[in-house]
Amino acid sequence: MLLIEKYTFGVGDRFAHQAGAQLRAFEQLAADGVDVTPVWNKSNREHTFVGSQPQSVYDAAQAAVASRGWKKPWHVDADHIQLKTVDAFIPCSDFFTIDVADSIGKPAASKDIAAFVERHPELVGKLTLDGLSAPLEVTQADVQRVAEQYLLAVQEAGEIYRHIATTKGADKVIAEISMDETDAPQTPPELLIILVAIADEKIPVQTIAPKFTGRFNKGVDYVGDLQQFTREFNDDVAVIAHAVKTYGLPETLKLSVHSGSDKFSLYPIIRECLQRTGAGLHIKTAGTTWLEEIIGLAEAGGDGLALAKEIYAYALEHVEEFCAPYASVIDIDASQLPSADTVASWSGPRLASAIRHIQGNEHFNPHMRQLLHVSFKVAAKHGTRYTDMLKANEEIVGGEVTKNIYERHLRPLFVG
């Protein structure tokens, strides 16, 4: 299989214009002495919304790598693919986020569940693992329940992985399994049982994205109990280390944090764990580059500012339409959204400060930020007018993109 690097960081680029600016942030971090591998990602849903094709992500990334002389690894992620959507991504991706959320909660064949429970008596009892906050206490009923909840999803992941590996070649594939887009978080004992099922299915998974407790809304900070997240994250790292040693999973297997963008309160917790344990990490920034484009256009003034205001006004008129596909990962109070007329009166810096995620800024408005985050197809409706505006203001827009990734994400996560 293609081995994943220790630290990988997913970057979204809705309109395929910021790969160079994104890569510059990784160059700056490398100058600080920390190597993190960029992974460009874009889901089938996002391609559908903006009318693009998977190949465009690879082409933009490759052009940036060539123009900036990047000699280190990089990847392209077929983000949240399923069997019915994966084929278009296979030629141009080497990282595959296998999304089986739709199968979670649907039971596998009863004989398969019974066989799994019988095959793994070692899961039952009090399990003391290095690094755990407390021993895992697992009953046979727990193993049965988790198998009923997740075994079919793991079997589906195996089917998807084998299709990709057969088509592309296993030595050209990094496999991630995503379990985060579901209602209930997976506890550390559940994660262990899931990993055992993945090992049984012989999927060489290298990153796994569980759902953590708390809210991971798009483009804004984590909402939840920080102490509980600390326990869960550290315990999950310990569970993964145990599963690798005990069940023959790849040594490169690591946690993946989805909707990781702007979870500023979690970054110190994650960094401390990585530094203490030596564990790896994959994290996705959930497309905040699109927001930095709007911020850059606002700061540019003139036609760029006018277009940013137009986009907000249109999004405001279509709140329900744009929010519906993302309802589980946004919390917007419509009463906190300023009117289009109010925003029309703002200067460029005033609009930018409402969207830019600096929590100490009195003008920052998380409700505006979330609405714009999920309204990227408004820009697609403008076609070349929007992308021409990005080109015309490339320096200021690219500067915002680089600064956001480097200063607000990469350094807090990996340097401190």
Side-chain angles (χ1 to χ4, degrees):
M1 63 184 175
L2 178 62
L3 293 178
I4 196 170
E5 294 74 27
K6 185 175 184 178
Y7 301 136
T8 47
F9 189 95
V11 282
D13 187 11
R14 298 285 192 264
F15 301 98
H17 278 68
Q18 305 307 329
Q22 292 169 327
L23 193 54
R24 192 159 56 235
F26 293 88
E27 294 170 346
Q28 291 176 356
L29 190 71
D32 292 334
V34 181
D35 284 332
V36 174
T37 298
V39 181
W40 280 276
N41 60 68
K42 191 171 181 180
S43 68
N44 185 70
R45 176 169 62 185
E46 290 156 4
H47 282 296
T48 301
F49 283 170
V50 303
S52 56
Q53 296 297 322
Q55 184 66 40
S56 64
V57 180
Y58 176 88
D59 291 345
Q62 185 184 50
V65 165
S67 67
R68 299 200 62 81
W70 178 259
K71 303 300 183 187
K72 298 178 181 184
W74 56 282
H75 303 292
V76 174
D77 179 8
D79 189 16
H80 285 284
I81 50 85
Q82 299 172 330
L83 195 59
K84 62 186 177 184
T85 57
V86 69
D87 283 347
F89 291 86
I90 290 177
C92 51
S93 305
D94 57 358
F95 188 119
F96 292 83
T97 299
I98 299 170
D99 186 341
V100 292
D102 289 348
S103 295
I104 293 174
K106 298 176 182 177
S110 57
K111 63 180 178 58
D112 292 344
I113 294 170
F116 177 81
V117 175
E118 184 177 352
R119 194 161 56 242
H120 293 290
E122 81 285 355
L123 290 171
V124 177
K126 197 171 188 177
L127 305 177
T128 303
L129 311 180
D130 290 342
L132 278 181
S133 59
L136 303 181
E137 297 191 18
V138 181
T139 66
Q140 184 169 311
D142 290 332
V143 179
Q144 175 85 19
R145 174 183 54 78
V146 176
E148 289 173 352
Q149 186 84 356
Y150 292 101
L151 188 57
L152 183 67
V154 172
Q155 291 173 339
E156 182 185 335
E159 182 184 5
I160 297 170
Y161 169 74
R162 286 186 288 274
H163 174 72
I164 297 166
T166 300
T167 307
K168 191 176 183 72
D171 60 336
K172 299 174 183 174
V173 174
I174 294 167
E176 167 168 304
I177 296 179
S178 166
M179 300 256 180
D180 67 303
E181 294 200 353
T182 187
D183 293 334
Q186 293 97 36
T187 64
E190 289 172 336
L191 179 61
L192 176 58
I193 297 168
I194 291 166
L195 289 172
V196 173
I198 290 170
D200 282 0
E201 192 67 19
K202 296 184 170 33
I203 307 169
V205 63
Q206 295 192 71
T207 78
I208 185 160
K211 181 178 178 65
F212 295 96
T213 302
R215 295 285 294 178
F216 283 74
N217 290 337
K218 297 289 188 183
V220 291
D221 204 351
Y222 173 79
V223 178
D225 184 331
L226 292 177
Q227 289 186 334
Q228 183 173 6
F229 176 83
T230 302
R231 286 193 302 273
E232 284 184 10
F233 189 86
N234 282 273
D235 285 353
D236 283 354
V237 166
V239 162
I240 286 175
H242 172 74
V244 167
K245 290 178 189 174
T246 308
Y247 296 99
L249 290 164
E251 292 185 3
T252 47
L253 177 59
K254 59 185 180 178
L255 275 178
S256 177
V257 180
H258 283 202
S259 297
S261 61
D262 297 55
K263 303 302 176 281
F264 300 142
S265 60
L266 301 185
Y267 287 176
I269 295 168
I270 294 172
R271 185 181 69 248
E272 187 280 330
C273 180
L274 301 184
Q275 291 175 347
R276 176 171 44 81
T277 64
L281 176 73
H282 180 61
I283 194 162
K284 291 193 179 186
T285 62
T288 52
T289 286
W290 140 250
L291 291 175
E292 299 307 315
E293 289 178 340
I294 294 296
I295 290 167
L297 292 178
E299 291 280 15
D303 292 340
L305 174 59
L307 180 55
K309 290 177 178 179
E310 265 185 62
I311 288 171
Y312 175 72
Y314 190 92
L316 194 61
E317 290 178 356
H318 297 80
V319 170
E320 292 185 7
E321 173 192 344
F322 294 151
C323 292
Y326 297 94
S328 65
V329 286
I330 54 174
D331 283 315
I332 296 174
D333 180 350
S335 70
Q336 299 299 311
L337 296 170
S339 69
D341 287 343
T342 296
V343 172
S345 70
W346 288 353
S347 68
R350 173 68 179 84
L351 176 55
S353 66
I355 307 167
R356 186 183 290 117
H357 195 178
I358 297 178
Q359 293 169 334
N361 188 307
E362 63 178 328
H363 297 306
F364 173 60
N365 186 324
H367 307 281
M368 279 188 73
R369 181 174 171 84
Q370 288 179 89
L371 174 59
L372 283 168
H373 194 295
V374 300
S375 301
F376 56 91
K377 63 181 175 181
V378 181
K381 291 179 183 292
H382 287 283
T384 56
R385 181 186 171 202
Y386 179 74
T387 52
D388 286 350
M389 200 69 69
L390 295 180
K391 293 173 187 175
N393 297 282
E394 181 178 355
E395 185 174 351
I396 188 168
V397 171
E400 295 290 341
V401 170
T402 301
K403 184 191 303 181
N404 173 55
I405 295 174
Y406 174 67
E407 294 184 2
R408 300 189 193 107
H409 294 275
L410 290 174
R411 275 194 63 87
L413 265 169
F414 299 106
V415 180

